[in-house]
Structures are given as C-alpha cells and as structure tokens.
Amino acid sequence: MKASADAPLNRNASFLKLWGGQSVALLGSKVSQLALPLVAIYTLDASPSMVGLIGTATFLPYLLFALWAGAWIDRRRRLPIMITTDVVRGVVLLGILGLAVTGTLTMWIMLGLVFVFSTCSVLFELCYYSFVPSIVPSRDLVAANSRLQASDSVAEVGGPGLGGVLVQLLTAPFALVAQMISFVVSAVTLASIRDREPQPEPPAGGAPPIMAQIRQGLVTVVRAPLLRTLVVSAALYNFFANWVMALFPVFAVRALDLNAATIGLIRSCGAIGGVLGAVAAGRLIARLGIGRSYLASIVLPFVAFVVIAVTPANTVFTVVVLTLAFAASGFLVVSNVVAISVRQTITPTDLLGRMNATYKFISYGVIALGTFAGGVVGDLLSLRAGMIIGAVGLVLNVLWILASPLRPMHELPEPVDETPASGPESGADRETPTSREVLGDAPASRG
C-alpha cells in the first residue's frame, strides 16, 4: 500500500486526503465538546452533576473497550472502520439534534447517545494512529505526525471560539451541525483514498482467544523498553497535569481574581504554543535528535506549571506571566510527535491496534485519578499548595526520561515492517537498533 507513499509527503495524495479531512473533523470536534454540555444545560436544564456525567460517558469507553477494540482492529482493515465510525457519529449527533428540537430528548437518552458516540471515537482513534504508517513511509512519520498535531492545536485555538459563536447564533443543538458536517467531510476524504489497504493475514493455526490477544498487546508495551518508557511518561504527565488543571479554574478565580474571559484567553495560549511546537517539531528533532527533543518538550511544561502555581495575584504581570507559561506548556506537542512516531515505527503492523489501545488505556486511565487527587489535596491544604505539589510532581516525568533508553536516541529505529533502503547490514555496521531489538525480540536484547 505504500507504493504511492514513496513520494515526498507533499505529493502523498493519501496522506494529504487524511490530513485535510481530519483537520476539518478536529475543528468540528472542538465545537461539539462545547455544544454537547450546553445542549444538556439549555435544553434539559441539567444540574452540574448531570453535566459531569456527560464527561463520564465520554471517557468511560476508553476504559471499557480500548483493550478489546485494539485486538479487534488488528485483525481487520482500518480504513473501512474509520469511515463507518464517522458515519455512525454523524447519525448520533443527528439523533441528539432531532430529539432536542422535537422536545423528546431526555438526559438518560443523551447519556446513552454520548456513550455510543465516544465508543465510535475510541475505534476511530485506534485505527487512525495505526493507519498512518500504512500510507506514510517511516522516513516521513515525524513530518506527518507534526502536521496532524498542528491541526489538532489549531482546532484547540479556533474550535471553542467557533463553538461559542455557533451556540450563540444557532442555539446549542443546531451548533452540532458543524460537527456533523465535519464527519461527512472526513468520511468522504477517507473514502477517496485509493491505495488499497492490505487485509491482515490471519495467524497460523487461527486467531488466539480475544483475551490472549489483549494480553499480547499489554505484554508488548510493558516489556519493550521504549514503549514502556513512553507510556509511563504519558501517564505521569496526564496524572500531574490534570491534577494542576483541575485546580486552575478555581485557583484563577479565587486566588488570582481573574474573570472568565481572561481565563479563557490565557488557556487558548496553550493551544497557540502547541501550534508553534508542532510547526517547529521537525526541525527541532532534526537538530537535537529524538531523545533530547522529547526531554526538552517535557521540561518546558514542568517549568511552566511551576510558574503558574507560584504566580502572585493582583500584579501587573499576572496575566502576562500566565499567558507565557501556558504558551510554553503547549510545546509538549513536540513530545507527542516523537512518541507517536516512535510507537508507529517500532511496533509491527499486526500489533499497532493493541499497542495503541494499551497505551491509551494506561495513559488515559490515570486522568480521573489525577483530577481527584488534585481536588482532594486542594481541599485539605490550599489551592496554591495543591497547585504547587501537582506542578512539582511533573519532575518525576523528567527524571524518568533522564534515566530511560529514549534520552540518548538521535534517530528513529529501523522500522520493523520495512527493509532498510541500504540493504541488510551487520550488527557491527548499524548505527540504530532495529525495531525487533527495540521490542526485545532479538536474542541480544533478552535476559
């Protein structure tokens, strides 16, 4: 399938279609993130706890289905699943709109539809990250993931604002039309990809039981030094960053005396930093190498969150300092580019779904724990003390990477599913490890 992908990325029609469609879909998703809770608030007069359940219904499928879904998609072509989930998600939003307009929407029906919507999103995301390496050669993965991450950051900047305008002009239910249109665009662009995705070959002797397949994905991530490094790093960041961010809105209002508009402007600067980080990622990685780029991009958020936590109130520089700190924290996107590219390179195609599923299961699973811990510590001590403890906790991520096999890496390992362009090389001549060695499959790596 990579025959057409052998051209430079700018002439890779399949990737350009994927990138274009997903750029539109990501912008639409940011609109619905705002519009869905507002549908519950304005249409159903939902209480804060009921609105919180929408977040639970959105997040729960990652914990319930991610591992199973990863094993399931590894035995199937990813592109048809992505198109189908786009269509189903569009239909779900149409259902919410129709029920809201006719006055027949209830909170429990909405929670059920949001759960279905998020389940489809889990399937799409796992396929999405596993599909990219099938249309982009390994040499272009960093550039491709940089563009995809840039689109996500741009959507973070413009999506909430667009969502607010649409809710104001059209009402919350009709604002969902923007997301529906984005799913249509995504489905059409995906369907227009002409490269034929190969059907995964069934394993000799038939597929093992689903639990054995899930276990294989877990074992792959836990035993492979680089994958283990990346998933622990992601979990540490998600735990402590969400600890801090759970407290920040209350901290900003009560301790820093900021209004809602100012808080929103400050938060959007983090997305602007993400855009700049994604644009600079390729050059930064080429100059510093894989390991040092990753390390630099996690040190910046650590410093930024500490600065946010100790920022004094009622000073001329409060808003300026917070704005710069959030912009600096957005450069974490460079570590995302590195992590996704490394994962895609060193994982065999038939394990990509399960690897990504395990990765999301672990790294997303700690988010609820982090927000809960932040709230408890903030209540027991003080908002500022809770913010400082959570921010300082991010140093564990920095120390973890300093002691990891990722730090000294300069280039991506040789991809497990591609033959090096220069032909077979002996172990003495090779400067970078093969993916099998990185995953611990080569005899030299065992023991």
Side-chain angles (χ1 to χ4, degrees):
M1 185 176 179
K2 288 187 184 177
S4 66
D6 288 336
L9 197 59
N10 286 336
R11 298 204 305 270
N12 184 335
S14 295
F15 172 74
L16 293 177
K17 291 174 182 177
L18 175 70
W19 182 32
Q22 292 316 299
S23 296
V24 175
L26 286 167
L27 183 62
S29 71
K30 304 307 177 184
V31 173
S32 67
Q33 284 178 9
L34 176 66
L36 280 173
L38 291 179
V39 168
I41 293 170
Y42 293 141
T43 305
L44 302 176
D45 195 26
S47 65
S49 61
M50 294 303 288
V51 174
L53 285 178
I54 294 177
T56 301
T58 301
F59 179 72
L60 194 57
Y62 287 94
L63 292 176
L64 295 180
F65 304 133
L67 294 177
W68 172 85
W72 184 73
I73 68 173
D74 273 340
R75 296 290 177 258
R76 287 158 179 83
R77 293 171 59 227
R78 280 102 184 207
L79 188 58
I81 299 174
M82 294 164 69
I83 296 171
T84 302
T85 53
D86 270 343
V87 173
V88 173
R89 286 186 292 179
V91 170
V92 168
L93 292 180
L94 180 62
I96 293 175
L97 171 60
L99 292 172
V101 170
T102 58
T104 54
L105 182 66
T106 67
M107 192 65 200
W108 294 111
I109 291 176
M110 184 170 180
L111 288 174
L113 290 174
V114 169
F115 184 83
V116 172
F117 180 92
S118 187
T119 300
C120 290
S121 295
V122 171
L123 287 170
F124 184 93
E125 289 179 22
L126 295 180
C127 290
Y128 176 53
Y129 288 115
S130 304
F131 180 70
V132 172
S134 68
I135 60 173
V136 175
S138 60
R139 66 174 180 269
D140 292 330
L141 279 176
V142 168
N145 287 316
S146 295
R147 296 187 186 189
L148 293 168
Q149 289 293 308
S151 295
D152 186 63
S153 296
V154 169
E156 287 282 359
V157 174
L162 176 61
V165 171
L166 291 175
V167 169
Q168 190 71 28
L169 295 177
L170 305 176
T171 72
F174 283 100
L176 297 175
V177 173
Q179 174 75 99
M180 293 162 56
I181 293 173
S182 75
F183 283 140
V184 172
V185 172
S186 175
V188 170
T189 55
L190 290 173
S192 69
I193 294 177
R194 298 304 179 193
D195 289 323
R196 180 171 177 78
E197 182 184 6
Q199 177 72 34
E201 295 183 4
I210 190 70
M211 292 306 298
Q213 297 178 49
I214 291 173
R215 180 180 179 277
Q216 188 177 11
L218 288 165
V219 169
T220 297
V221 172
V222 172
R223 289 186 178 176
L226 279 180
L227 294 180
R228 183 172 64 247
T229 294
L230 292 171
V231 76
V232 171
S233 176
L236 286 170
Y237 177 83
N238 284 345
F239 181 85
F240 287 107
N242 282 280
W243 171 319
V244 174
M245 294 314 299
L247 292 174
F248 177 74
V250 185
F251 174 74
V253 171
R254 295 181 181 173
L256 303 183
D257 196 27
L258 299 177
N259 58 42
T262 303
I263 295 170
L265 179 62
I266 291 170
R267 288 289 304 272
S268 69
C269 288
I272 294 174
V275 174
L276 297 176
V279 170
R283 293 179 181 178
L284 185 66
I285 291 168
R287 179 179 293 272
L288 298 181
I290 291 291
R292 286 191 290 178
S293 297
Y294 189 98
L295 181 61
S297 67
I298 64 170
V299 167
L300 271 176
F302 160 59
V303 174
F305 279 123
V306 171
V307 169
I308 291 168
V310 300
T311 298
N314 301 320
T315 70
V316 176
F317 300 105
T318 298
V319 174
V320 174
V321 169
L322 289 176
T323 299
L324 293 175
F326 271 97
S329 72
F331 273 81
L332 180 80
V333 73
V334 176
S335 71
N336 291 339
V337 172
V338 170
I340 294 169
S341 300
V342 169
R343 284 154 49 196
Q344 290 170 340
T345 301
I346 68 175
T347 307
T349 299
D350 60 349
L351 279 169
L352 275 171
R354 282 168 284 175
M355 179 277 294
N356 284 318
T358 301
Y359 195 91
K360 283 190 174 291
F361 177 78
I362 295 173
S363 62
Y364 279 29
V366 301
I367 291 177
L369 297 176
T371 55
F372 177 76
V376 169
V377 173
D379 282 340
L380 292 177
L381 302 177
S382 69
L383 287 171
R384 189 178 292 277
M387 291 276 292
I388 292 174
I389 293 171
V392 172
L394 284 169
V395 76
L396 295 177
N397 190 16
V398 176
L399 296 176
W400 171 256
I401 295 301
L402 283 172
S404 76
L406 179 67
R407 183 186 60 80
M409 284 186 62
H410 186 74
E411 298 179 351
L412 290 174
E414 295 173 8
V416 70
D417 292 319
E418 293 182 12
T419 302
S422 58
E425 296 177 327
S426 67
D429 296 332
R430 225 188 317 108
E431 294 182 356
T432 56
T434 66
S435 299
R436 289 291 180 187
E437 290 170 342
V438 171
L439 283 170
D441 293 338
S445 299
R446 299 192 178 191

